[in-house]
């Protein structure tokens, strides 16, 4: 399958990053290269971009799409949680002018059955974004303790029936291993009371989300990645983060809000003694969401939330 991915909130991302000629930008989840191409066009003729992705297929697709920009583009296999180390390894010591983190699952990853992300396509349970990693969804489903399974499904999937689902998984695997997405999706469906699965999305959606997050440590990577991105931005540099569910958005919101605070003295203190200065300025107080035209064109963008911040100079 060709790696084609519709860039979400493209114009809004450009409005936050404000790419300019001569600038240096990082796309920490370069994917199919849609956002990256727009950043390169906006920063022509000499703006540069570093594209990072842990998915080999995404890197191949982005290299092909961005080949026309020649030496203005550098692509690197890696996880954006290591953004500081990646930039240092490339000799980027003085910081960058803008960073984009689009932390959603791309359409090709969902639609390619062999990757094991989809509850609608039967395939071996996998869900690894980086195929060089060893932990798979099959490992979690067939070996993790019931209590840990329940915690993952409850906390990462926000699934009210997590306990029932974990119990059903353990009962099934005692007879035989759960090998495919189809088996798991049907098992989850049967574990959820009929009245709770008559309406709304597929009953296995939350469980699959939870397993994907656990396999790839997505929330840990996001927290490290956002903090690392703020560390490598130059004064005046900007960060844009697109999240696709509430767990991700809450992490981004919390980190940016903390970095935008000044005084952290106790409320009862008569004068400020901490001397803290904010590291960033928030770009908007509320997240930016797709408009009707984009949703009509790309329904998968419906849960996207974009937040931005500008790095401030530290005196």
């Amino acid at each position: 399958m060709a790696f084609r991915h519709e860039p979400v909130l493209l114009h809004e991302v450009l409005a936050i990053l404000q790419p300019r000629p001569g600038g240096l930008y990082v796309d920490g989840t370069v994917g199919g290269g849609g956002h990256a191409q727009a950043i390169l066009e906006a920063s022509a003729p000499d703006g540069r971009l570093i594209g990072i992705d842990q998915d080999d297929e995404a890197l191949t697709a982005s290299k092909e799409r961005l080949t026309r920009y020649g030496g203005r583009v550098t692509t690197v296999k890696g996880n954006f949680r290591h953004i500081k180390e990646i930039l240092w390894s490339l000799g980027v010591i003085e910081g960058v002018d803008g960073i984009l983190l689009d932390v959603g699952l791309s359409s090709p990853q969902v639609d390619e059955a062999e990757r094991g992300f989809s509850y609608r396509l039967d395939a071996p349970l996998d869900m690894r974004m980086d195929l060089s990693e060893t932990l798979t969804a099959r490992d979690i489903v067939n070996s993790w303790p019931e209590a840990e399974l329940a915690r993952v499904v409850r906390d990462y999937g926000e699934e009210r029936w997590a306990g029932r689902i974990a119990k059903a998984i353990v009962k099934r695997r005692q007879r035989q291993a759960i090998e495919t997405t189809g088996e798991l999706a049907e098992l989850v469906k049967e574990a959820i009371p009929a009245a709770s699965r008559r309406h709304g999305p597929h009953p296995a959606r939350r469980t699959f989300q939870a397993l994907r997050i656990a396999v790839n440590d997505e929330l840990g990577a996001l927290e490290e990645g956002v903090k690392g991105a703020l560390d490598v931005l130059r004064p005046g540099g900007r960060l844009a983060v697109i999240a696709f569910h509430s767990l991700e958005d809450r992490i981004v919101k919390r980190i940016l809000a903390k970095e935008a605070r000044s005084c952290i003295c106790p409320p009862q203190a008569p004068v400020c003694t901490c001397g803290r200065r904010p590291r960033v300025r928030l770009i908007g107080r509320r997240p930016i969401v797709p408009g009707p035209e984009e949703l009509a064109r790309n329904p998968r963008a419906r849960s996207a939330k974009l937040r931005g911040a500008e790095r401030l100079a530290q005196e």
Side-chain angles (χ1 to χ4, degrees):
M1 177 182 293
F3 200 105
R4 300 181 185 276
H5 181 48
E6 176 99 13
V8 173
L9 292 164
L10 179 59
H11 299 296
E12 293 82 355
V13 165
L14 293 177
I16 287 177
L17 294 181
Q18 298 182 349
R20 56 175 175 75
L24 176 58
Y25 302 92
V26 178
D27 187 340
T29 44
V30 70
H35 286 111
Q37 182 176 358
I39 292 169
L40 286 162
E41 290 289 340
S43 63
D46 56 350
R48 293 183 297 134
L49 181 129
I50 297 168
I52 303 169
D53 211 294
Q54 59 185 325
D55 189 310
D56 289 305
E57 292 183 15
L59 280 176
T60 299
S62 63
K63 287 178 183 178
E64 182 178 342
R65 182 169 188 168
L66 304 176
T67 186
R68 73 185 75 170
Y69 300 100
R72 294 177 59 201
V73 182
T74 302
T75 55
V76 182
K77 180 176 180 180
N79 190 311
F80 64 76
R81 75 191 307 164
H82 305 304
I83 189 169
K84 290 196 291 186
E85 292 84 353
I86 291 171
L87 292 181
W88 291 340
S89 73
L90 295 173
V92 179
I93 307 299
E94 296 182 358
V96 300
D97 298 295
I99 299 172
L100 168 64
L101 303 178
D102 175 0
V103 296
L105 191 67
S106 68
S107 296
Q109 289 169 326
V110 175
D111 295 337
E112 192 171 349
E114 306 88 74
R115 304 297 296 270
F117 286 109
S118 177
Y119 44 80
R120 300 185 185 279
L121 302 171
D122 194 28
L125 273 170
D126 194 317
M127 303 194 190
R128 290 173 296 167
M129 291 183 181
D130 181 351
L131 295 178
S132 68
E133 295 292 336
T134 57
L135 180 67
T136 68
R138 184 193 182 281
D139 299 328
I140 293 175
V141 166
N142 288 292
S143 64
W144 283 21
E146 181 178 329
E148 184 65 3
L149 281 172
R151 182 194 68 79
V152 165
V153 176
R154 180 184 63 250
D155 293 352
Y156 297 167
E158 300 179 297
E159 171 60 73
R160 64 179 295 201
W161 303 108
R164 290 177 63 125
I165 292 168
K167 186 179 294 293
I169 288 172
V170 171
K171 183 177 180 181
R172 173 71 65 85
R173 78 189 190 193
Q174 288 172 345
R175 300 198 308 270
Q176 67 180 86
I178 302 165
E179 301 284 355
T180 71
T181 54
E183 291 175 53
L184 180 61
E186 187 60 29
L187 187 157
V188 172
K189 181 179 177 181
E190 292 173 358
I192 296 175
S196 295
R197 61 176 193 247
R198 290 195 185 108
H199 306 287
H202 193 288
R205 181 178 67 87
R206 294 185 180 88
T207 298
F208 272 63
Q209 171 185 296
L211 290 172
R212 191 199 79 223
I213 289 172
V215 167
N216 299 287
D217 188 24
E218 292 178 32
L219 301 185
L222 178 60
E223 180 141 4
E224 290 180 32
V226 172
K227 291 178 178 178
L230 294 177
D231 286 343
V232 297
L233 280 175
R234 295 170 178 156
R238 290 182 161 207
L239 170 66
V241 186
I242 304 175
F244 283 83
H245 56 75
S246 57
L247 295 172
E248 294 171 342
D249 185 57
R250 283 200 292 268
I251 289 173
V252 178
K253 179 182 178 181
R254 172 176 54 79
I255 295 173
L256 295 185
K258 180 180 179 181
E259 297 291 351
R261 289 181 61 189
S262 52
C263 176
I264 56 172
C265 292
Q268 63 272 22
V271 295
C272 174
T273 58
C274 70
R276 178 186 170 96
R277 295 181 180 275
R279 290 183 78 203
V280 304
R281 175 183 69 84
L282 300 181
I283 301 173
R285 292 287 174 179
R286 295 181 178 276
I288 301 168
V289 298
E293 289 185 9
E294 180 167 5
L295 291 177
R297 185 177 67 252
N298 182 16
R300 285 179 171 171
R302 64 186 177 276
S303 58
K305 292 182 178 180
L306 168 64
R307 294 183 186 271
E310 179 180 319
R311 185 76 150 80
L312 299 176
Q314 298 294 296
E315 295 180 3

